Amino acid sequence: MSTYRVAQVTTAGGPFELVEREVPQPGPRQVRIAVEACGICHSDTMFVNAGLPGVTFPVVPGHEIAGRVDALGEGTQDWGYQVGDRVAVGWFGGSCGHCTSCRKGDFITCANLKVPGWAYDGGFGEKVIAPVDALARIPDALSAGDAGPMACAGVTTYNGLRRSSAHPGDLVAVLGIGGLGHLGVQYAAAMGFETVAIARGAEKADFAKQLGAHHYVDSTSGTPVGEALRSLGGASVVLATAGNSQAIAATVDGLAPRGELVAIGADPEPLGISPVQLLMSGRVVRGHPSGTSQDVQDTMEFSALHNIRPMTETVPLDDAQAAYQKMLSGAARFRMVLTHG
């Protein structure tokens, strides 16, 4: 019997344990992936802690998966994949194809979205069975350790910017320069935006400039963030990557007329924004979901073209518990990645 290892959680909020399982065979329209790397995203806590409906234990989280096609199920031949192909799977882990969103071609808002770690075992293991429509091809220039985080953190920031209302030359601010934001600043600069990085502490200014930011706003300086953005002319777009509703709301007064706040940082607390802040200047506030497998592939190709990479700390699967805890503590710089090589 051939086996593989996974790091699983058996109770809500419980510790990770390494177990061996029998290697499964892919079903129709599925592929088996030999996982080489998997990023650890803060969203994994929603599954580990049973924070979403339908979570069943044991849970094997992980939706920043990079590896190689290991086996092909029936009905996958038209997709052009072969054993050995390098692929990534992210938050978008497949769609149902029949709900209203899918029928409109808006697959990322599928009512039955298949998120790895929720709908099926994720990448905290040496093998993954995934729907073929979830796969994105990894460019040769990207390592597995770089490609994994691109499938969630990368595509969310990249897509959030390219689908925003900003045009090259516009002032665009990125709130937060952590796991999401350090990629968002790089993408904004590469897209030709006049890029502002917003974070806590004057000591982060040099790092923000290294990422490509043209301006840095220290949110702890005493000058309100909105005022600081207005002094630069007002932001056409604020990409809010920080999971802090108070910090997100503080940027609204810094939006230019018709400016857009794109929220991708998750916080259950409500945003303290009044209609008055939006009405007179025609400002827009919207949430942005991740991106489809094609969006993931676009993200990786753009990243390869512009030499954009996530900053990661790689650890072996055996140390999944310690790596997960480091992510939770905020000490990761900036993405913890499990490697299964």
Short mmCIF file of all heavy atoms in Angstrom, two decimals, residues 8 42 50 72 125 129 135 141 147 161 164 182 193 199 216 221 249 256 262 266 305 309 325 329:
data_model
loop_
_atom_site.label_atom_id
_atom_site.label_comp_id
_atom_site.label_asym_id
_atom_site.label_seq_id
_atom_site.Cartn_x
_atom_site.Cartn_y
_atom_site.Cartn_z
N GLN A 8 -2.78 17.35 9.94
CA GLN A 8 -4.20 17.55 10.11
C GLN A 8 -4.54 18.03 11.52
O GLN A 8 -3.77 17.86 12.46
CB GLN A 8 -4.97 16.26 9.82
CG GLN A 8 -4.70 15.14 10.82
CD GLN A 8 -5.50 13.89 10.54
OE1 GLN A 8 -5.91 13.64 9.40
NE2 GLN A 8 -5.74 13.08 11.57
N HIS A 42 -3.46 33.40 6.71
CA HIS A 42 -4.26 33.63 7.92
C HIS A 42 -5.68 33.10 7.75
O HIS A 42 -6.33 32.72 8.73
CB HIS A 42 -4.29 35.12 8.27
CG HIS A 42 -4.76 35.38 9.66
ND1 HIS A 42 -6.09 35.52 9.99
CD2 HIS A 42 -4.08 35.50 10.84
CE1 HIS A 42 -6.22 35.73 11.28
NE2 HIS A 42 -5.01 35.71 11.82
N ALA A 50 -12.94 26.05 12.67
CA ALA A 50 -14.34 25.80 12.30
C ALA A 50 -15.14 27.10 12.26
O ALA A 50 -16.29 27.15 12.71
CB ALA A 50 -14.99 24.78 13.22
N LEU A 72 -3.75 11.72 -13.47
CA LEU A 72 -4.88 12.37 -14.13
C LEU A 72 -6.12 11.49 -14.06
O LEU A 72 -6.06 10.29 -14.33
CB LEU A 72 -4.55 12.66 -15.60
CG LEU A 72 -3.38 13.60 -15.85
CD1 LEU A 72 -2.90 13.48 -17.28
CD2 LEU A 72 -3.81 15.05 -15.57
N GLY A 125 0.00 18.69 3.13
CA GLY A 125 0.20 17.27 2.92
C GLY A 125 1.03 17.06 1.67
O GLY A 125 1.27 17.99 0.90
N ILE A 129 -5.75 15.98 -4.07
CA ILE A 129 -6.66 15.72 -5.18
C ILE A 129 -7.46 17.00 -5.41
O ILE A 129 -8.12 17.50 -4.50
CB ILE A 129 -7.63 14.56 -4.88
CG1 ILE A 129 -6.86 13.27 -4.63
CG2 ILE A 129 -8.62 14.40 -6.02
CD1 ILE A 129 -6.24 12.65 -5.86
N LEU A 135 -6.55 24.36 -11.57
CA LEU A 135 -5.11 24.38 -11.82
C LEU A 135 -4.66 25.61 -12.60
O LEU A 135 -5.31 26.03 -13.55
CB LEU A 135 -4.69 23.12 -12.59
CG LEU A 135 -4.33 21.88 -11.78
CD1 LEU A 135 -5.48 21.47 -10.87
CD2 LEU A 135 -3.97 20.73 -12.70
N ALA A 141 10.18 30.39 -14.40
CA ALA A 141 10.99 31.31 -13.60
C ALA A 141 10.65 31.29 -12.12
O ALA A 141 11.44 31.80 -11.30
CB ALA A 141 10.84 32.73 -14.14
N ALA A 147 5.70 30.25 -5.97
CA ALA A 147 4.42 30.11 -6.67
C ALA A 147 3.27 29.89 -5.70
O ALA A 147 2.16 30.41 -5.91
CB ALA A 147 4.49 28.96 -7.67
N LEU A 161 -5.82 45.18 -7.69
CA LEU A 161 -5.32 46.39 -8.34
C LEU A 161 -5.72 46.47 -9.81
O LEU A 161 -6.18 47.50 -10.28
CB LEU A 161 -3.79 46.46 -8.20
CG LEU A 161 -3.27 46.74 -6.80
CD1 LEU A 161 -1.76 46.48 -6.73
CD2 LEU A 161 -3.57 48.19 -6.40
N SER A 164 -9.29 47.38 -10.34
CA SER A 164 -9.71 48.63 -9.72
C SER A 164 -9.90 49.70 -10.80
O SER A 164 -9.67 49.46 -11.98
CB SER A 164 -8.66 49.10 -8.71
OG SER A 164 -7.52 49.65 -9.36
N HIS A 182 3.10 43.53 1.13
CA HIS A 182 4.44 43.62 0.54
C HIS A 182 4.41 43.20 -0.93
O HIS A 182 5.24 43.64 -1.72
CB HIS A 182 5.45 42.80 1.35
CG HIS A 182 5.56 41.36 0.99
ND1 HIS A 182 4.62 40.42 1.34
CD2 HIS A 182 6.52 40.68 0.30
CE1 HIS A 182 4.99 39.24 0.89
NE2 HIS A 182 6.14 39.36 0.26
N PHE A 193 1.57 52.76 -11.19
CA PHE A 193 0.89 53.68 -10.30
C PHE A 193 1.90 54.45 -9.45
O PHE A 193 2.97 53.93 -9.12
CB PHE A 193 -0.05 52.92 -9.34
CG PHE A 193 -1.09 52.08 -10.03
CD1 PHE A 193 -1.37 50.80 -9.60
CD2 PHE A 193 -1.80 52.57 -11.12
CE1 PHE A 193 -2.33 50.02 -10.21
CE2 PHE A 193 -2.76 51.80 -11.76
CZ PHE A 193 -3.03 50.52 -11.30
N ALA A 199 1.82 52.14 6.66
CA ALA A 199 2.07 51.14 7.70
C ALA A 199 2.35 51.86 9.01
O ALA A 199 2.37 53.09 9.07
CB ALA A 199 3.23 50.23 7.32
N TYR A 216 5.77 57.11 1.58
CA TYR A 216 5.45 56.29 2.74
C TYR A 216 4.68 57.14 3.74
O TYR A 216 5.04 58.29 4.01
CB TYR A 216 6.73 55.76 3.41
CG TYR A 216 6.44 54.95 4.65
CD1 TYR A 216 5.87 53.68 4.55
CD2 TYR A 216 6.70 55.46 5.92
CE1 TYR A 216 5.58 52.93 5.68
CE2 TYR A 216 6.43 54.72 7.06
CZ TYR A 216 5.86 53.45 6.94
OH TYR A 216 5.57 52.72 8.06
N SER A 221 2.20 58.56 13.08
CA SER A 221 2.96 59.82 13.17
C SER A 221 2.19 60.94 13.85
O SER A 221 2.79 61.96 14.22
CB SER A 221 3.36 60.27 11.76
OG SER A 221 2.21 60.66 11.02
N ALA A 249 -10.87 52.14 7.70
CA ALA A 249 -11.78 53.28 7.68
C ALA A 249 -11.02 54.61 7.68
O ALA A 249 -11.48 55.60 7.10
CB ALA A 249 -12.72 53.21 8.87
N ALA A 256 -9.51 60.49 -3.37
CA ALA A 256 -9.86 61.58 -4.27
C ALA A 256 -11.34 61.46 -4.65
O ALA A 256 -11.97 60.42 -4.41
CB ALA A 256 -8.99 61.51 -5.53
N VAL A 262 -10.68 49.48 -1.89
CA VAL A 262 -10.78 48.06 -2.21
C VAL A 262 -10.32 47.29 -0.98
O VAL A 262 -9.13 47.29 -0.65
CB VAL A 262 -9.94 47.68 -3.44
CG1 VAL A 262 -10.09 46.21 -3.75
CG2 VAL A 262 -10.34 48.54 -4.65
N ALA A 266 -9.18 40.94 5.92
CA ALA A 266 -10.38 40.46 6.60
C ALA A 266 -10.39 40.84 8.08
O ALA A 266 -9.40 40.63 8.79
CB ALA A 266 -10.50 38.95 6.47
N LEU A 305 7.58 38.20 -15.08
CA LEU A 305 8.00 39.24 -16.02
C LEU A 305 8.66 40.42 -15.30
O LEU A 305 9.65 40.98 -15.78
CB LEU A 305 6.79 39.72 -16.83
CG LEU A 305 7.04 40.78 -17.90
CD1 LEU A 305 7.92 40.23 -19.01
CD2 LEU A 305 5.71 41.27 -18.47
N ARG A 309 8.57 38.76 -6.28
CA ARG A 309 8.56 37.53 -5.52
C ARG A 309 8.03 37.79 -4.12
O ARG A 309 8.26 38.87 -3.55
CB ARG A 309 9.97 36.92 -5.39
CG ARG A 309 10.64 36.60 -6.72
CD ARG A 309 9.99 35.43 -7.44
NE ARG A 309 10.75 35.03 -8.61
CZ ARG A 309 10.60 35.57 -9.83
NH1 ARG A 309 9.74 36.57 -10.00
NH2 ARG A 309 11.32 35.14 -10.84
N GLN A 325 1.82 28.57 14.11
CA GLN A 325 1.84 29.46 15.27
C GLN A 325 2.62 30.73 14.98
O GLN A 325 2.25 31.82 15.44
CB GLN A 325 2.43 28.73 16.48
CG GLN A 325 1.55 27.63 17.04
CD GLN A 325 0.20 28.13 17.53
OE1 GLN A 325 0.10 29.25 18.06
NE2 GLN A 325 -0.83 27.33 17.37
N SER A 329 1.17 34.55 15.25
CA SER A 329 1.79 35.55 16.12
C SER A 329 2.13 36.84 15.39
O SER A 329 2.43 37.86 16.03
CB SER A 329 3.07 34.98 16.74
OG SER A 329 4.10 34.88 15.76
#
